Amino acid sequence: MGKLFEINPTKYYRLKNEDILSENGKVPLISNSSTDNGVMGFSNLEALNLGNTITCSDTTLGADTMYYQEKDFIGYSHIQHFVPKFSPFNRAIASVIISACRVSTFNSGYDYGNKFNRHAMNNTKIQLPIKNNKIDFEFIESFIAELEAYLLATGLMDYTLTVEEQKALDDFEKIKFEEFNVIDVFDVKNTGNILSRDIIENSGETPYLCASAANNAVSSYISFDEKYLDKGNCVFIGGKTFVVTYQEKDFYSNDSHNLVLYQKDEEKRSKLNQLYLATCINKSLAHKYSWGDSISSTKIKKDKVSLPTRNNQPNYRIMETFISAIQKLVIKEVVLYADKKIATTKTVVNNK
């Protein structure tokens, strides 16, 4: 890292916090916090350190407080300033370097007696993609751009829980559930029926569904006569196996024993709600049905499903908020798992 950056203590005001911070301030005050990008608050005082750089606390156990600082800022005691010696430098390149540094320090043995100080920072080695024996900045920027586009398209760019989402998780055990007739919540119908012998696998872009639990029940993507299409944005049940999934797109089905459930309250018919509803259907009814006693449109119309309630009605708001929270937690865990996996792999390779 010392070959990539000039690493020195940030400049800061020797004042009390109340003399630095202001409610209407615009200049970030960067502290040793491991949250909010290290921003402790904002000030109206003059910025003392250049932005488009990186900061990291030297009182921590690794690079967990390392952040990209876009704007000029005020430092805090024990904050180190990474000023790049190379060009170009931007948020995308910084994010890859920070991730690489966190991976590098994951198993490095830093503790309260062995701080991640400036000497350690300068001597930390990281792995970056190269081309022609030089750092491949073009690849880094294109990779991050593609990743951000995917996360934005899927709504997963931000996995920080809102207050409402955190409350939904904290209060889960307190949620009141009641039983509702399935047909009071859903319109139920049988799917179309296209035999596998009549399709050409991977011939198109429309999902072809079966009763398998794998790949969200998608067997292939095909092109076929659109008159056999079933509308998506629904709960799909494999009739013979009772595999319950949410289907976002219009689809073809391999068996007319399969069922589709369309939420009656169209204003509340969202992807997040139906992911919750699909789980409720599965938990409420899976114990009743088997291969020898499979579900049918006739049977399910007599069944009940247990749902969160408010004022004796399904509480779709809490369903949506809860799934949103779970989704963010999963993404966060994937990121942490990937970092740990890379760190473990690197340790094994180095030990060899």
Side-chain angles (χ1 to χ4, degrees):
M1 289 292 283
K3 290 185 178 181
L4 297 175
F5 297 91
E6 289 286 349
I7 306 175
N8 293 297
T10 58
K11 299 175 182 178
Y12 59 96
Y13 289 99
R14 297 183 181 276
L15 299 170
K16 294 181 179 179
N17 290 341
E18 54 264 33
D19 296 326
I20 300 175
L21 298 173
S22 174
E23 290 185 2
N24 60 354
K26 302 295 182 182
V27 178
L29 173 63
I30 306 303
S31 70
N32 58 8
S33 172
S34 59
T35 61
D36 298 324
N37 214 60
V39 178
M40 181 179 184
F42 295 87
S43 175
N44 282 322
L45 298 178
E46 180 183 358
L48 301 177
N49 305 275
L50 291 176
N52 193 32
T53 52
I54 292 173
T55 58
C56 184
S57 169
D58 62 16
T59 64
T60 54
L61 311 184
D64 56 314
T65 60
M66 185 175 286
Y67 298 107
Y68 172 71
Q69 303 300 336
E70 182 178 15
K71 299 178 180 179
D72 295 354
F73 63 93
I74 299 169
Y76 203 76
S77 179
H78 292 288
I79 302 300
Q80 300 297 322
H81 194 198
F82 291 66
V83 179
K85 297 178 180 179
F86 59 91
S87 181
F89 187 74
N90 53 41
R91 180 185 294 275
I93 293 170
S95 66
V96 170
I97 289 175
I98 290 170
S99 294
C101 200
R102 287 175 177 169
V103 168
S104 180
T105 62
F106 181 74
N107 286 323
S108 297
Y110 293 111
D111 55 30
Y112 290 101
N114 180 29
K115 301 289 188 184
F116 187 55
N117 55 28
R118 187 162 68 255
H119 174 76
M121 294 174 186
N122 271 290
N123 288 284
T124 293
K125 293 185 178 181
I126 63 174
Q127 294 184 338
L128 296 174
I130 62 170
K131 185 177 182 179
N132 299 326
N133 294 319
K134 295 182 180 180
I135 299 173
D136 193 348
F137 293 115
E138 183 178 351
F139 169 78
I140 291 174
E141 291 184 271
S142 63
F143 173 77
I144 293 299
E146 184 176 346
L147 178 61
E148 289 181 344
Y150 169 77
L151 294 176
L152 283 171
T154 54
L156 302 176
M157 192 65 175
D158 178 17
Y159 56 74
T160 302
L161 296 176
T162 65
V163 173
E164 186 178 14
E165 288 166 345
Q166 186 63 59
K167 181 173 174 54
L169 294 175
D170 294 340
D171 294 347
F172 179 74
E173 298 294 337
K174 303 175 185 176
I175 296 175
K176 181 181 179 182
F177 282 76
E178 294 182 16
E179 288 191 333
F180 295 85
N181 295 319
V182 170
I183 56 175
D184 290 338
V185 181
F186 298 98
D187 290 319
V188 180
K189 65 182 286 289
N190 289 92
T191 66
N193 180 27
I194 304 174
L195 299 178
S196 59
R197 67 180 181 226
D198 295 328
I199 70 163
I200 300 175
E201 290 190 356
N202 304 316
S203 59
E205 299 181 353
T206 304
Y208 175 63
L209 306 186
C210 61
S212 171
N215 200 30
N216 205 52
V218 178
S219 172
S220 182
Y221 291 89
I222 66 171
S223 177
F224 206 80
D225 191 334
E226 292 187 0
K227 72 179 181 181
Y228 294 101
L229 268 178
D230 286 293
K231 287 291 183 183
N233 194 23
C234 65
V235 174
F236 173 85
I237 302 178
K240 294 176 181 177
T241 59
F242 203 80
V243 170
V244 186
T245 60
Y246 167 71
Q247 298 298 330
E248 185 172 13
K249 299 179 179 179
D250 296 351
F251 60 89
Y252 296 109
S253 171
N254 76 330
D255 194 331
S256 59
H257 287 95
N258 298 332
L259 303 178
V260 281
L261 280 61
Y262 295 102
Q263 190 178 343
K264 287 180 177 287
D265 191 341
E266 293 189 21
E267 291 185 0
K268 304 295 185 181
R269 193 189 292 175
S270 69
K271 177 180 180 178
L272 296 182
N273 275 337
Q274 290 181 94
L275 286 169
Y276 197 110
L277 289 168
T279 299
C280 289
I281 287 286
N282 186 51
K283 292 296 184 181
S284 297
L285 303 180
H287 67 282
K288 293 183 60 175
Y289 298 107
S290 62
W291 186 270
D293 184 17
S294 59
I295 196 169
S296 68
S297 59
T298 300
K299 291 177 182 177
I300 199 172
K301 289 175 182 177
K302 300 176 183 178
D303 286 326
K304 295 181 181 293
V305 57
S306 182
L307 300 174
T309 62
R310 184 178 182 182
N311 299 326
N312 299 317
Q313 294 296 320
N315 189 346
Y316 293 117
R317 179 58 180 264
I318 195 65
M319 296 183 204
E320 187 163 315
T321 303
F322 185 81
I323 292 297
S324 177
I326 293 297
Q327 185 170 259
K328 287 182 179 181
L329 291 179
V330 170
I331 292 299
K332 182 177 181 179
E333 288 303 312
V334 169
V335 173
L336 294 176
Y337 171 80
D339 284 349
K340 291 178 181 178
K341 190 74 172 177
I342 293 170
T344 301
T345 302
K346 181 179 177 183
T347 299
V348 171
V349 171
N350 287 343
N351 286 341
K352 287 182 179 179

